[in-house]
Amino acid sequence: MSAITKDGVEVKAGQVWRDLDKRMNGRTVVVEWVSRCGTVARVKGARSTQLSISRMHRHSTGWELVK
């Protein structure tokens, strides 16, 4: 199953995403892998963490695809 955001962007390994939360000063993360069910992505920035695909959309506390 593919991981598609609310904006219709397919999340894939190797993509760079920017955090739109103003408190995060434009931090970016790289997607390492996407879960088989397509609901969670493992991302790496300063540390590795999991990010819910449902949060990956353009919103004040969301995310945007950089490249």
Side-chain angles (χ1 to χ4, degrees):
M1 183 175 187
S2 63
I4 309 255
T5 66
K6 293 178 183 180
D7 295 333
V9 178
E10 185 175 2
V11 179
K12 298 179 184 176
Q15 290 177 331
V16 178
W17 288 78
R18 178 178 296 121
D19 192 344
L20 298 176
D21 190 334
K22 292 180 180 181
R23 298 170 292 181
M24 294 296 122
N25 296 320
R27 76 171 169 167
T28 58
V29 296
V30 177
V31 177
E32 293 181 324
W33 52 262
V34 179
S35 66
R36 288 186 185 187
C37 59
T39 58
V40 175
R42 170 68 103 187
V43 296
K44 182 157 179 76
R47 63 182 71 151
S48 289
T49 189
Q50 290 186 2
L51 180 62
S52 175
I53 301 293
S54 65
R55 290 196 57 231
M56 298 174 84
H57 60 92
R58 290 191 51 85
H59 187 266
S60 62
T61 59
W63 297 79
E64 73 176 343
L65 180 62
V66 175
K67 60 179 179 178

